[in-house]
């Protein structure tokens, strides 16, 4: 995505190059609205790394699934869809392809036959290991200008927001697991 680099080409911004005394317009709602700011930051930062993932032979969706499963316990397909910010039917189709390549495996849930669990295989973990190192380097470069403490505080705040809102009314994440 290309973004304008000059103030004169940004809608709603004063053209300071041609009229330095132009009054600054009122800020747009989205310029101070948390969901819009989070979405923009996510898109920009993620897009930078998605190019790296593609160069390493992973689609964006494959990368998200592999990163979500790496180093962790088996999770339900519903939870995986939530964490990867992907619709559940899309995740299910993707898992079919990844299972055929022996990157992931499906397991039955211990107590609920309606729920299917997914975990990464040793082969899958090995295939994504280098990409996770590259992701950590990318994250370090993104957060470096803010300092270690501010970066940790930001991540802690985001994790807390996720915890507080993950079970919001109307959220189909865990309630839709029976459809796995």
């Amino acid at each position: 995505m290309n973004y304008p680099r000059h103030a004169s080409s940004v809608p709603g911004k004063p053209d300071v190059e041609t009229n330095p005394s132009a009054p600054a317009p009122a800020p747009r709602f989205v310029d101070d609205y948390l969901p819009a700011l989070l979405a923009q930051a996510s898109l920009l930062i993620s897009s930078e790394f998605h190019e790296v993932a593609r160069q390493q032979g992973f689609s964006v969706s494959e990368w998200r699934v592999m990163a979500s499963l790496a180093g962790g316990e088996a999770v339900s397909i519903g939870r995986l869809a939530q964490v990867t910010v992907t619709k559940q039917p899309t995740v299910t189709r993707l898992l079919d392809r990844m299972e055929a390549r022996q990157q992931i495996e499906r397991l039955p849930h211990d107590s609920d036959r309606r729920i299917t669990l997914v975990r990464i295989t040793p082969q899958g973990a090995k295939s994504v290991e280098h990409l996770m190192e590259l992701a950590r380097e990318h994250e370090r470069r993104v957060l470096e200008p803010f300092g270690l403490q501010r970066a940790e505080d930001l991540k802690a705040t985001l994790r807390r927001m996720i915890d507080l809102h993950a079970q919001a009314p109307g959220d189909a994440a865990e309630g839709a697991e029976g459809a796995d």
Side-chain angles (χ1 to χ4, degrees):
M1 183 174 292
N2 293 328
Y3 292 96
R5 298 213 182 267
H6 304 292
S8 61
S9 61
V10 177
K13 297 276 186 187
D15 188 347
V16 294
E17 292 176 9
T18 58
N19 187 1
S21 63
R28 296 176 303 167
F29 173 75
V30 297
D31 293 335
D32 197 43
Y33 183 56
L34 180 65
L37 295 171
L38 289 171
Q40 290 175 59
S42 176
L43 177 65
L44 292 168
I45 294 166
S46 295
S47 295
E48 292 170 0
F49 188 72
H50 292 163
E51 183 56 36
V52 174
R54 283 189 281 277
Q55 290 170 358
Q56 296 293 313
F58 289 88
S59 71
V60 170
S61 297
E62 289 169 337
W63 157 243
R64 287 179 177 169
V65 166
M66 297 295 274
S68 298
L69 294 174
E73 300 287 320
V75 297
S76 71
I77 294 174
R79 177 71 179 142
L80 188 58
Q82 180 185 29
V83 171
T84 62
V85 193
T86 309
K87 293 182 180 183
Q88 190 167 327
T90 303
V91 170
T92 300
R93 286 190 301 275
L94 180 61
L95 293 173
D96 290 341
R97 293 192 303 270
M98 296 174 80
E99 188 173 36
R101 291 191 304 256
Q102 299 179 339
Q103 294 174 313
I104 61 97
E105 62 184 343
R106 290 181 170 115
L107 309 163
H109 189 276
D110 288 340
S111 60
D112 191 339
R113 292 182 353 204
R114 298 170 298 166
I115 299 174
T116 300
L117 301 176
V118 182
R119 76 174 167 207
I120 196 167
T121 63
Q123 179 179 330
K126 182 117 177 96
S127 72
V128 77
E129 186 175 28
H130 180 64
L131 190 53
M132 289 190 312
E133 291 171 15
L134 295 173
R136 285 185 194 96
E137 289 174 21
H138 177 254
E139 177 189 48
R140 182 190 48 74
R141 286 191 306 276
V142 167
L143 293 175
E144 195 170 49
F146 304 102
L148 181 60
Q149 188 57 54
R150 286 183 75 190
E152 289 304 318
D153 291 345
L154 173 61
K155 290 186 336 182
T157 299
L158 292 172
R159 283 190 292 268
R160 181 72 177 132
M161 279 182 174
I162 292 166
D163 288 346
L164 288 171
H165 296 275
Q167 298 302 318
D171 189 5
E174 290 298 322
E177 286 183 351
D180 289 350

